[in-house]
């Protein structure tokens, strides 16, 4: 019985290989060349990620080799152990910074996504005065560098009196013009007849928004989650400008202090390498989980 199962498995595997081989034979030389070039480009773009993982596990003598080594020769966990030792010697533990980053990032993702889709829906499916001007203003705001709005942002946060609170972390990150643009372009593809049929069935505008628009925008929600999480997770501005209480600062700020203020640029480089990997992993994992929906969003949002 087991021999029959093994033979059946081999036959099915061979048939799958032969099917794939037949598909390759039907490709033209230009298509094969394009596949080869894209594969090489993908491997080239993968090199920084490979280096980041290898760099975090290098012992101290490999961190300062010249010329530097790309692949770690003697992998070790000492950098992560040193990271924990450094965090234990501080007044505020690293777990507090980590909690602040996770808490603010999750709330930012939820709030920014809801506000963006709430803004994009009327811009796409409703008619009102100043609609085109408002959307043009949102598009123009995409061209502003973050540094140009630091002073106005600081003035707003100070005027509201929300310094040293989680609101100062979340509020500046909820207005992301790129998310509004993505949601609007996606909602434009939805047929108006679908919305009209829901209105004829007696659905209110709020019920239509929650029961029709939001479920259909799930692919864009995944893209919005990646973009807003990346912005919130790597945000250093709020901790530097709005937070005086050390317990309200986030993990990026703590990592930036690991090597700053030291007498030389050699100390704690292993700790910094481990911390850089820890900062990168959440973004990497979330993107891997949601990458298919991101591709679907780009295909339906007018982005080529």
């Amino acid at each position: 019985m087991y021999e029959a199962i093994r033979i059946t498995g081999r036959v099915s595997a061979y048939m799958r290989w032969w099917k794939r081989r037949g598909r390759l034979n039907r490709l033209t030389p230009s298509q094969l060349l394009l596949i080869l070039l894209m594969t090489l480009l993908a491997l080239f773009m993968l090199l920084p990620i490979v280096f980041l993982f290898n760099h975090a596990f290098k012992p101290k003598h490999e961190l300062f080799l010249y010329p530097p080594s790309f692949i770690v020769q003697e992998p070790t966990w000492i950098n992560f152990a040193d990271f924990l030792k450094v965090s234990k010697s501080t007044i505020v533990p690293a777990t507090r910074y980590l909690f602040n980053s996770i808490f603010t990032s999750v709330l930012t993702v939820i709030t920014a996504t809801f506000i963006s889709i709430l803004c994009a829906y009327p811009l796409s499916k409703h008619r009102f005065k100043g609609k085109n001007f408002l959307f043009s203003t949102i598009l123009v705001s995409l061209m502003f560098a973050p540094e140009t709005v630091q002073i106005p942002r600081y003035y707003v946060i100070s005027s509201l009196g929300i310094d040293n609170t989680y609101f100062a972390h979340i509020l500046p990150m909820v207005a992301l013009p790129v998310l509004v643009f993505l949601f609007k372009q996606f909602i434009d593809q939805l047929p108006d007849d679908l919305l009209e049929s829901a209105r004829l069935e007696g659905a209110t505008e709020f019920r239509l928004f929650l029961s029709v628009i939001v479920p259909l925008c799930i692919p864009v929600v995944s893209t919005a989650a990646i973009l807003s999480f990346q912005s919130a997770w790597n945000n250093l501005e709020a901790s530097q400008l709005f937070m005086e209480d050390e317990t309200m600062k986030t993990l990026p700020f703590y990592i930036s202090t690991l090597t700053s203020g030291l007498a030389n640029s050699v100390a704690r480089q292993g700790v910094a390498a481990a911390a850089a990997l820890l900062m990168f992993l959440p973004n990497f994992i979330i993107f891997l989980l949601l990458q298919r929906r991101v591709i679907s969003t780009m295909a339906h949002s007018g982005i080529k």
Side-chain angles (χ1 to χ4, degrees):
M1 179 180 178
Y2 293 107
E3 184 67 21
I5 295 175
R6 186 171 62 85
I7 294 175
T8 304
R10 287 185 176 181
V11 171
S12 59
Y14 177 77
M15 293 179 64
R16 289 195 299 268
W17 173 82
W18 183 260
K19 187 176 181 180
R20 289 195 298 267
R21 183 175 179 273
R23 292 177 180 175
L24 290 176
N25 290 335
R26 289 196 297 268
L27 295 176
T28 62
S30 60
Q31 290 175 331
L32 290 174
L33 180 61
L34 181 61
I35 292 174
L36 177 61
L37 292 177
M38 295 302 293
T39 303
L40 294 176
L41 180 61
L43 293 176
F44 178 77
M45 297 181 68
L46 192 64
L47 292 180
I49 300 177
V50 176
F51 177 80
L52 184 64
F53 275 88
N54 281 271
H55 196 64
F57 292 95
K58 288 180 180 179
K60 292 182 180 180
H61 66 275
E62 288 190 37
L63 289 172
F64 302 100
L65 283 178
Y66 185 83
S69 61
F70 192 85
I71 303 297
V72 58
Q73 303 298 324
E74 302 175 7
T76 177
W77 293 91
I78 189 65
N79 295 331
F80 297 93
D82 291 342
F83 176 77
L84 295 177
K85 290 179 182 178
V86 171
S87 64
K88 289 180 180 179
S89 62
T90 57
I91 299 176
V92 180
T95 53
R96 176 66 184 185
Y97 297 105
L98 180 61
F99 170 79
N100 291 338
S101 291
I102 295 175
F103 182 73
T104 56
S105 297
V106 171
L107 287 183
T108 299
V109 169
I110 297 173
T111 308
T113 302
F114 182 76
I115 290 179
S116 298
I117 192 173
L118 197 63
C119 177
Y121 170 56
L123 287 174
S124 176
K125 296 301 183 181
H126 287 201
R127 295 181 180 179
F128 55 90
K129 293 183 178 180
K131 169 184 173 180
N132 294 330
F133 175 77
L134 180 59
F135 184 62
S136 299
T137 304
I138 294 174
L139 293 182
V140 169
S141 64
L142 290 171
M143 298 187 296
F144 286 94
E147 292 77 11
T148 60
V149 296
Q150 281 185 351
I151 295 177
R153 186 176 294 171
Y154 179 80
Y155 179 77
V156 171
I157 297 298
S158 300
S159 301
L160 293 176
I162 56 176
D163 303 76
N164 290 314
T165 65
Y166 288 118
F167 291 105
H169 284 289
I170 300 171
L171 186 61
M173 307 301 299
V174 297
L176 296 178
V178 64
L179 299 189
V180 178
F181 174 76
L182 286 176
F183 276 114
K184 181 185 179 303
Q185 295 299 102
F186 192 89
I187 296 175
D188 285 344
Q189 309 297 323
L190 302 181
D192 295 334
D193 295 339
L194 178 64
L195 306 182
E196 290 299 329
S197 61
R199 292 189 180 99
L200 292 176
E201 292 293 332
T204 62
E205 202 65 34
F206 188 70
R207 178 65 181 275
L208 188 150
F209 173 77
L210 291 180
S211 302
V212 179
I213 299 298
V214 174
L216 291 176
C217 290
I218 292 299
V220 200
V221 170
S222 302
T223 306
I226 293 176
L227 296 177
S228 56
F229 180 83
Q230 183 179 14
S231 300
W233 181 257
N234 298 324
N235 183 33
L236 190 62
E237 177 185 294
S239 297
Q240 290 179 329
L241 301 180
F242 310 138
M243 303 297 159
E244 297 180 2
D245 188 356
E246 194 70 22
T247 60
M248 294 301 299
K249 297 181 179 182
T250 55
L251 188 62
F253 176 83
Y254 171 69
I255 291 177
S256 68
T257 62
L258 291 176
T259 57
S260 62
L262 297 179
N264 55 70
S265 60
V266 176
R268 294 183 182 173
Q269 288 302 318
V271 176
L277 179 60
L278 294 177
M279 283 295 300
F280 170 75
L281 278 178
N283 290 318
F284 184 63
I285 294 173
I286 289 179
F287 180 78
L288 289 180
L289 294 176
L290 302 178
Q291 61 174 336
R292 291 187 178 180
R293 295 189 181 275
V294 172
I295 296 174
S296 176
T297 302
M298 299 306 175
H300 293 87
S301 297
I303 299 178
K304 304 298 183 182

